[in-house]
Amino acid sequence: MDATSLIDEVRADLDHALVAVDFDGTLAPIVPDPADSRPAPGALAALRKLAERGAQVAVITGRDARTVLELGRLDVIPGLIIEGLYGAEQWRDGALRTPPEPESMQRLRAELPVLLEAGDPVLWIEDKRLSLVVHGRRAPDPEAALDTVRDAVAALGETLGLDVHPGRGVIELRLPGYEKGGALRRLVDEVRPATVLFIGDDVGDLPAFEAVAQLRGNGTRAWSVAVVSAEVPEVAEVADVAVDGPAGVVALLEALSR
Ligand SMILES: [Mg+2]
């Protein structure tokens, strides 16, 4: 499918559409320190316009919902829903629904730093309360830096009953049972859209691409868009349309709302 056909399809049904987008690497360029992440120029305005035209806009992210809301200043988007921590929590109408922290996260918080002492010193830990992320993005070769601890991190995750997920220059340990495909399906059950668009850039978005394919198999008008990067070229192979970086996402969102 080409981007123009996708734009025409979604525009034709915008007021019954769910437009769900990932945050880092999709709306916002990947940066070495996640605290510096900001939406690409034009991204917020385009999402706001889509919402004003009647689309339900959602952000489905691995970050916690409140952080992404504040970093992105996303509260300017009318009716926005944020699925945070891969759907473990949801922010909607100004209220956050989030699960209590299990004991395994406290043990992880104590044991992960000890384990990292044996690895590349450039690695550091981001604490998202219900997940911890080992970051290699400050290293010249992030994957090589992560390789120094990869097996040990996987073993610790298994011991604690947590899911271990690789990402762009990161390894994440998180609560089991949450992934973006489940988050998207639940959103679809809540919102009941006639048309679904999901946009993402990383391996963590692959389950949502699969959910889109399933929805379409069940008769929903549903499409996926991959944001192509050198690190994760495989996302382009499973999505319906590929765009180039967050700037390509903004151009697509602007075309949808025009
Ligand atoms: Mg991403």
Side-chain angles (χ1 to χ4, degrees):
M1 182 179 208
D2 61 65
T4 309
S5 313
L6 178 132
I7 289 162
D8 289 345
E9 292 279 5
V10 178
R11 278 182 58 170
D13 192 34
L14 203 54
D15 52 353
H16 302 107
L18 168 65
V19 177
V21 290
D22 166 54
F23 188 74
D24 294 281
T26 299
L27 284 184
I30 295 282
V31 287
D33 185 338
D36 296 333
S37 183
R38 298 290 182 276
L44 278 188
L47 287 174
R48 185 177 179 167
K49 208 165 161 190
L50 280 175
E52 287 168 355
R53 294 269 163 95
Q56 171 64 59
V57 175
V59 171
I60 304 180
T61 175
R63 301 258 205 144
D64 70 272
R66 199 174 291 283
T67 296
V68 100
L69 179 75
E70 287 168 4
L71 276 184
R73 301 183 181 274
L74 300 177
D75 53 351
V76 300
I77 303 165
L80 174 74
I81 301 174
I82 302 174
E83 292 286 331
L85 300 170
Y86 304 89
E89 59 179 27
Q90 188 188 68
W91 182 90
R92 184 174 192 169
D93 302 324
L96 180 68
R97 177 184 53 67
T98 190
E101 188 181 310
E103 201 195 326
S104 57
M105 290 308 300
Q106 294 164 24
R107 282 190 55 195
L108 179 66
R109 200 168 280 124
E111 293 177 29
L112 189 60
V114 179
L115 187 158
L116 255 54
E117 282 170 13
D120 190 317
V122 80
L123 299 174
W124 65 281
I125 298 169
E126 179 191 9
D127 191 335
K128 304 200 294 190
R129 195 176 72 85
L130 294 172
S131 92
L132 263 61
V133 185
V134 181
H135 279 264
R137 288 181 195 158
R138 286 177 186 160
D141 183 346
E143 297 306 325
L146 290 168
D147 283 343
T148 62
V149 296
R150 197 179 298 278
D151 292 346
V153 168
L156 178 60
E158 192 173 342
T159 302
L160 298 179
L162 297 166
D163 280 353
V164 181
H165 293 274
R168 289 171 72 178
V170 298
I171 304 171
E172 178 160 22
L173 295 118
R174 60 191 202 228
L175 298 186
Y178 295 104
E179 39 79 27
K180 290 190 179 182
L184 180 62
R185 276 188 285 268
R186 194 161 41 74
L187 255 185
V188 166
D189 286 344
E190 278 180 44
V191 173
R192 298 263 162 213
T195 296
V196 175
L197 179 65
F198 175 78
I199 312 175
D201 73 304
D202 206 345
V203 287
D205 297 304
L206 295 175
F209 291 158
E210 284 166 29
V212 164
Q214 279 175 5
L215 285 164
R216 193 158 67 221
N218 295 334
T220 303
R221 292 159 40 82
W223 296 280
S224 57
V225 175
V227 185
V228 180
S229 66
E231 302 106 295
V232 197
E234 64 263 36
V235 293
E237 291 160 23
V238 289
D240 297 305
V241 167
V243 298
D244 216 7
V249 175
V250 172
L252 180 86
L253 295 173
E254 285 174 342
L256 287 175
S257 66
R258 205 168 284 140

